[in-house]
Amino acid sequence: MLSNSYNHVLVLFSLLVAILASYTALDMAGRVATSQGKAKRCWLAGGAFAMGLGIWSMHFIGMLAFSLPIPLGYDPVITFLSLLIAVAASAFALWLVCQNTLPWARLILGALLMGAGIASMHYSGMAAMRMLPGIHYIPSLFALSILIAVGASGAALWMAFRLRFGSPRVKLIRSGAAVVMGIAIVGMHYTGMAASQFPLGSFCGAANSGIATNWLALLVIVVTLAVLAIALIVSVLDSRMAARTAVLATSLAEANHELMHLALHDNLTKLPNRLLLEDRLEQAVHKAERDHSRFALMFMDLDGFKAVNDAFGHHVGDDLLIDVAARIKQSVRAQDTIARLGGDEFVLILELAKPQDAAAIADKLVKAIDEPFSIQRHALGVSVSIGIAIYPDDGAESRELMANADAAMYHAKDAGRNGYCFFKASMNANAQEQLQLLQDLRLALGRNELLLHYQPKFCAPHGPIIGAEALLRWMHPSRGLIGPDTFLELAERSGLVLQIGEWVLDEACRQMRAWHDQGHRDWSVAVNLSAQQFAHASLPQTVSDTLKRHGLAPRHLTLEITETTAMRDAEASLVILRQLADMGVNISIDDFGTGYSSLLYLKRLPANELKIDRGFVNELTHDSDDAAIVSAIVALGQTLKLNIVAEGVETQAQQEFLTRLGCDSLQGYLLGRPVPAAEFAQAATSQATA
Ligand code: C2E
Ligand code: CA
Ligand code: CA
């Protein structure tokens, strides 16, 4: 046998190349597994090429490390063939580990095929030397080399399969696996070499015609390192990009989620909004339909919220809404939907075991909200009116349920607020009625159906008459005479109140002019203003035009605005009120005591008169709380040098008591009911002559 020897530096180098090739292959497997379509095919082809080239060049470096005492060479065709075998085996291996599953049977088959591939690459590489006589292989070592090839392939496949997807420590594990694989590949090669024996007198048939070893060596090493390096760099760059794309995709998903949330929730209370409510309601209907079950839809509207908002500003109002939402949440179960429709309206969807449950929960809600709230150091009181509609009794579809719960809520309001009301079929008739009334009201001005009644104002305790308050009436074609409580809210909601208000002002001034002409020169007329009229910047101009039209001195007109209206937009109100006061018109603060005036603000108002709300007067007995309130209001008015009027005086006792407390003027059924103008003048004349 020819004696052989190894160059140890090259042996070590071959090991390094094997490890590097393995690492690249494992890395590529990861890229293949996480990419798709064309990219996946590219990574598979690139990975197979890099790995095949790596294994193949490892073999040739190993061969360079090996020397025989005769010149050696390699047949180019067979050499190229061996490279093809290595690439094909690698491609197969990569494809295998990138499948979704790797059952044992497939792993074993894969190991056999890949092992055979590596072994045939090695032995065809050996055949490329075209030794004569042929190489003698020791059977046991030959078999061992094949076994190592198969075993190493199996281990490599299994590891690559497990490492397909990135994990936090994947680089470290992958490096370990690459070392194991590299050692296995090198081990196979050198076992195969140990199995080969070259008989004495052998010579290499490819030594002269084949590729010279030295040049081959340089070429192989340079190309291999270059390919592996490029493959790794591309892979690293790509995985970075993939990671960045993944981060972008997650933040995009988060942003989407956030947007969805914003679109479906109320910003203030974080409760579902109308959009989400509609969706949930549809779902509730479907579910109840399927299960033949019931649920309740509750419409909640706060009572007295507007007054709080007007008096304390939106910040306090907003905080109050947040607290109200929290109390509602505490009163219901987690699976119930609470939504805010905007303003002070909330809606609840409640699953019901039995219908009575709805009453119990509504009762609980009413009580919870009736407790005082403490907002920004103010103690505030609001209550809630609830309308309840039950599926399927009160509506088979969501729109009907909503409309009916809404109608029931208005009934709860009419029934005195701070309570709940179940929907009844008769309530819908009411909604229809309102619609009809609104249509009639639109026509009322043109048909001259509106008129004014006048209620006298007396100097306390019983006269003389100092003027009259003009109170609106409507002679409805079919209903007869109706009062403002029936249609004013409708007029406000529809905006008709602006036209109506202008008419009232004009008619009252016209009437006063007529009375002046009849000799009642010291009378003045009081006209009520609605919040909407007051919000119009043109109001001072309208008032001044009207006065001029009728030749009435401004001091003969009193404008009554409620305390709440004056408080609404305090600063804007001040500007308008100043303009009116500068004109010489009297300003009266109506329904005083029901709002939340601040004393400081009141001091700045250019008002001449306070009208104590008739609610206090009504309840007046000597030792009641109302007596204390009225006497406080009177004292306050006197300090601010305001004229104090008590309205709603119905009894002599009230008349006496209010006079004693210091009220300047009195108004009420006891002294005179609101009557048409003609009757008013008559009564006044007879009183004067009496
Ligand atoms: P208000 O300004 O507080 O007017 C006094 C109301 O109390 C009138 O009701 C009057 O009829 C009633 N009243 C007078 N004396 C007594 C009494 O001794 N006992 C009782 N229980 N009530 C008495 P009316 O005419 O139904 O008006 C209701 C409200 O409608 C008024 O309350 C006012 O806020 C509003 N209003 C009336 N006319 C107009 C108007 O022309 N424009 C605007 N914007 N609002 C008006
Ligand atoms: Ca009034
Ligand atoms: Ca009043």
Side-chain angles (χ1 to χ4, degrees):
M1 293 292 138
L2 289 173
S3 66
N4 55 34
S5 62
Y6 283 98
N7 177 330
H8 296 290
V9 177
L10 283 176
V11 171
L12 203 68
F13 194 70
S14 70
L15 177 65
L16 275 178
V17 169
I19 292 173
L20 194 61
S22 303
Y23 186 86
T24 312
L26 288 174
D27 191 78
M28 296 280 161
R31 311 281 348 120
V32 178
T34 51
S35 45
Q36 274 165 357
K38 199 170 159 201
K40 191 181 182 98
R41 284 196 293 279
C42 285
W43 282 119
L44 188 67
F49 183 67
M51 187 179 171
L53 190 69
I55 296 174
W56 178 81
S57 75
M58 175 269 138
H59 170 81
F60 273 93
I61 297 166
M63 290 311 291
L64 284 173
F66 173 82
S67 56
L68 284 174
I70 52 168
L72 296 176
Y74 299 93
D75 183 291
V77 179
I78 305 179
T79 305
F80 184 69
L81 198 74
S82 70
L83 173 63
L84 282 189
I85 294 175
V87 172
S90 302
F92 169 71
L94 276 179
W95 173 81
L96 196 70
V97 298
C98 292
Q99 303 308 305
N100 288 334
T101 56
L102 185 60
W104 282 112
R106 198 187 294 168
L107 178 64
I108 291 168
L109 189 74
L112 282 173
L113 279 172
M114 193 179 162
I118 293 175
S120 42
M121 186 234 93
H122 175 85
Y123 289 105
S124 54
M126 297 296 282
M129 289 196 286
R130 298 219 318 264
M131 293 305 289
L132 283 172
I135 304 169
H136 174 76
Y137 291 104
I138 304 168
S140 57
L141 282 175
F142 176 77
L144 184 64
S145 79
I146 305 241
L147 220 65
I148 291 175
V150 172
S153 301
L157 286 176
W158 182 78
M159 281 190 288
F161 179 75
R162 302 306 303 269
L163 290 176
R164 298 173 290 169
F165 299 113
S167 72
R169 290 186 301 142
V170 74
K171 283 217 172 70
L172 199 71
I173 308 175
R174 194 176 276 163
S175 308
V179 171
V180 174
M181 264 171 83
I183 292 175
I185 294 169
V186 170
M188 181 267 144
H189 174 84
Y190 289 103
T191 315
M193 291 306 287
S196 46
Q197 289 187 319
F198 301 86
L200 276 177
S202 297
F203 80 95
C204 176
N208 297 322
S209 57
I211 312 165
T213 37
N214 288 354
W215 288 112
L216 181 71
L218 204 66
L219 193 72
V220 164
I221 291 172
V222 169
V223 170
T224 306
L225 288 180
V227 168
L228 293 180
I230 289 169
L232 273 179
I233 288 169
V234 171
S235 168
V236 165
L237 287 182
D238 182 72
S239 81
R240 283 228 181 118
M241 206 154 84
R244 242 206 338 258
T245 316
V247 169
L248 278 176
T250 354
S251 51
L252 198 68
E254 273 167 13
N256 255 330
H257 187 83
E258 182 95 339
L259 268 178
M260 272 293 262
H261 191 86
L262 279 180
L264 295 178
H265 289 80
D266 163 44
N267 212 7
L268 182 67
T269 58
K270 311 293 174 226
L271 292 177
N273 62 12
R274 186 186 288 274
L275 220 63
L276 187 54
L277 172 75
E278 279 168 8
D279 186 58
R280 297 265 176 94
L281 189 55
E282 287 295 330
Q283 285 176 22
V285 168
H286 286 311
K287 184 170 183 289
E289 197 176 19
R290 206 175 49 230
D291 304 347
H292 301 288
S293 61
R294 286 163 194 274
F295 69 87
L297 183 71
M298 291 192 185
F299 235 92
M300 295 185 265
D301 190 288
L302 298 183
D303 316 314
F305 175 73
K306 220 160 78 98
V308 170
N309 227 358
D310 292 344
F312 295 101
H314 290 288
H315 292 298
V316 173
D318 285 354
D319 284 358
L320 178 62
L321 286 174
I322 293 172
D323 279 19
V324 167
R327 284 201 196 166
I328 298 174
K329 233 184 252 176
Q330 277 165 14
S331 309
V332 300
R333 295 155 304 184
Q335 74 260 34
D336 299 324
T337 294
I338 316 161
R340 177 170 171 239
L341 293 193
D344 55 355
E345 287 183 339
F346 296 86
V347 171
L348 210 77
I349 305 174
L350 291 171
E351 285 183 22
L352 292 183
K354 45 187 185 329
Q356 300 91 288
D357 287 358
I361 291 177
D363 193 52
K364 199 164 140 192
L365 283 165
V366 167
K367 286 192 176 120
I369 292 180
D370 202 31
E371 294 290 317
F373 288 84
S374 167
I375 311 281
Q376 296 178 16
R377 279 181 280 122
H378 303 291
L380 302 177
V382 286
S383 57
V384 67
S385 298
I386 306 180
I388 309 171
I390 307 279
Y391 175 91
D393 317 37
D394 302 332
E397 49 158 298
S398 52
R399 276 188 47 195
E400 200 182 348
L401 281 168
M402 290 281 274
N404 289 347
D406 192 40
M409 190 273 290
Y410 275 105
H411 265 254
K413 288 242 183 231
D414 286 345
R417 306 169 166 225
N418 196 19
Y420 61 90
C421 193
F422 280 90
F423 173 77
K424 284 192 219 78
S426 61
M427 291 173 184
N428 257 339
N430 202 334
Q432 296 260 308
E433 222 173 85
Q434 290 281 306
L435 207 67
Q436 183 62 50
L437 201 63
L438 179 60
Q439 278 167 1
D440 293 346
L441 189 58
R442 284 188 206 286
L443 302 173
L445 263 177
R447 291 182 185 163
N448 269 329
E449 288 169 2
L450 296 182
L451 60 147
L452 293 180
H453 278 186
Y454 296 88
Q455 184 177 33
K457 271 174 150 175
F458 286 81
C459 192
H462 31 240
I465 291 179
I466 49 175
E469 178 175 4
L471 294 163
L472 186 60
R473 300 293 180 262
W474 178 11
M475 184 53 94
H476 188 275
S478 59
R479 297 172 175 226
L481 195 67
I482 51 184
D485 286 341
T486 333
F487 62 87
L488 254 179
E489 205 190 307
L490 212 58
E492 298 228 341
R493 267 192 278 153
S494 60
L496 275 175
V497 78
L498 285 176
Q499 285 174 51
I500 294 180
E502 260 182 54
W503 178 84
V504 171
L505 188 66
D506 185 76
E507 172 60 17
C509 290
R510 189 199 60 75
Q511 183 60 60
M512 194 72 308
R513 172 81 257 161
W515 280 334
H516 277 197
D517 292 345
Q518 288 165 23
H520 304 289
R521 295 189 187 284
D522 48 352
W523 285 0
S524 65
V525 70
V527 170
N528 293 286
L529 287 186
S530 81
Q532 278 192 44
Q533 280 176 284
F534 194 63
H536 248 247
S538 63
L539 179 69
Q541 191 59 50
T542 310
V543 171
S544 119
D545 290 349
T546 311
L547 287 171
K548 275 198 199 108
R549 191 157 52 243
H550 299 289
L552 199 65
R555 69 191 158 84
H556 290 299
L557 175 67
T558 301
L559 294 177
E560 295 193 1
I561 56 164
T562 65
E563 185 189 7
T564 316
T565 305
M567 291 295 299
R568 178 159 305 165
D569 183 353
E571 291 309 313
S573 299
L574 271 183
V575 174
I576 294 188
L577 283 177
R578 280 249 166 73
Q579 282 177 293
L580 290 169
D582 288 348
M583 226 185 272
V585 172
N586 298 303
I587 308 293
S588 174
I589 309 296
D590 204 351
D591 298 350
F592 190 78
T594 54
Y596 288 96
S597 296
S598 90
L599 197 56
L600 275 176
Y601 178 64
L602 203 63
K603 232 173 93 179
R604 294 170 61 203
L605 276 182
N608 319 68
E609 187 176 278
L610 277 191
K611 277 184 104 169
I612 302 171
D613 188 67
R614 61 179 185 275
F616 296 115
V617 173
N618 200 356
E619 301 279 310
L620 211 55
T621 53
H622 288 263
D623 50 345
S624 67
D625 287 347
D626 290 306
I629 293 173
V630 170
S631 77
I633 293 176
V634 171
L636 176 69
Q638 282 169 344
T639 347
L640 296 177
K641 304 211 165 45
L642 297 175
N643 194 44
I644 315 288
V645 184
E647 60 178 350
V649 182
E650 292 181 353
T651 65
Q652 230 159 351
Q654 288 167 352
Q655 181 188 30
E656 278 164 21
F657 190 48
L658 288 162
T659 307
R660 201 144 20 93
L661 281 178
C663 289
D664 303 293
S665 319
L666 302 181
Q667 188 183 343
Y669 290 170
L670 176 73
L671 297 156
R673 292 187 173 253
V675 287
E679 221 172 293
F680 184 91
Q682 229 170 29
T685 319
S686 59
Q687 196 216 21
T689 51

